[in-house]
């Protein structure tokens, strides 16, 4: 897990669900932008479908669409903080220098830490709402047929 997310988790500023949401966002980002899928190894059945070039790009496109949905929900400022935290892997002090160059290092670090915790809590809430929406769509689909 990434250092800043782990630091927030260790401090009790976020819960495990928020840390899991951060990891999910990061995996989507890496897959959509870099084409890297870092999945935990799991036992696979013989019937597992292998992706060809087209289906692989479709799956990457879905990951990119999820990132777009997160950006729409959290806004550009939230996405910037997620990228600084997890993609660029900056410390709170480094982020503070970028986002609040006019403040003292200690004050900027505290401000960034609080903002990152808030963004991760919002990200957790976004994913929870998306799961509920998906479950209700699934159940309404079953009722129709």
């Amino acid at each position: 897990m990434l250092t800043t997310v782990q630091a927030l988790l260790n401090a009790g500023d976020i819960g495990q669900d928020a840390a899991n949401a951060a990891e999910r966002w990061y995996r989507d980002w890496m897959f959509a932008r870099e084409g890297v899928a870092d999945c935990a190894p799991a036992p696979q059945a013989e019937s597992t479908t292998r992706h060809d070039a087209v289906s692989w790009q479709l799956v990457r496109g879905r990951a990119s669409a999820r990132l777009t949905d997160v950006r729409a929900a959290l806004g550009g400022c939230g996405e910037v903080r997620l990228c600084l935290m997890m993609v660029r892997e900056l410390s709170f002090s480094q982020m503070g220098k970028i986002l609040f160059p006019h403040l003292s290092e200690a004050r900027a670090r505290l401000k960034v830490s609080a903002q990152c915790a808030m963004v991760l809590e919002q990200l957790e809430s976004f994913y929870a709402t998306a799961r509920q929406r998906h479950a209700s769509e699934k159940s309404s689909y079953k009722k129709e047929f």
Side-chain angles (χ1 to χ4, degrees), residues 72-113:
L74 301 183
C77 291
E79 184 182 51
V80 165
R81 278 140 185 85
L82 289 172
C83 286
L84 291 174
M85 233 186 326
M86 294 184 285
V87 177
R88 292 185 57 193
E89 298 185 46
L90 298 180
S91 68
F92 294 126
S93 296
Q94 291 169 321
M95 285 186 272
K97 288 177 186 174
I98 293 169
L99 298 171
F100 304 107
H102 58 284
L103 296 178
S104 70
E105 183 179 338
R107 184 139 170 85
R109 185 179 63 245
L110 287 173
K111 222 173 182 177
V112 167
S113 174

Side-chain angles (χ1 to χ4, degrees), residues 26-38 56 60:
Y26 180 72
R27 285 184 181 193
D28 271 348
W29 193 93
M30 287 300 293
F31 188 49
R33 302 286 171 94
E34 304 294 329
V36 177
D38 182 22
W56 185 256
R60 279 184 74 186

Side-chain angles (χ1 to χ4, degrees), residues 32-62:
R33 302 286 171 94
E34 304 294 329
V36 177
D38 182 22
C39 300
Q44 299 204 357
E46 295 283 328
S47 64
T48 302
T49 305
R50 294 195 182 266
H51 289 285
D52 61 8
V54 173
S55 65
W56 185 256
Q57 291 303 323
L58 288 171
V59 175
R60 279 184 74 186
R62 283 190 214 122

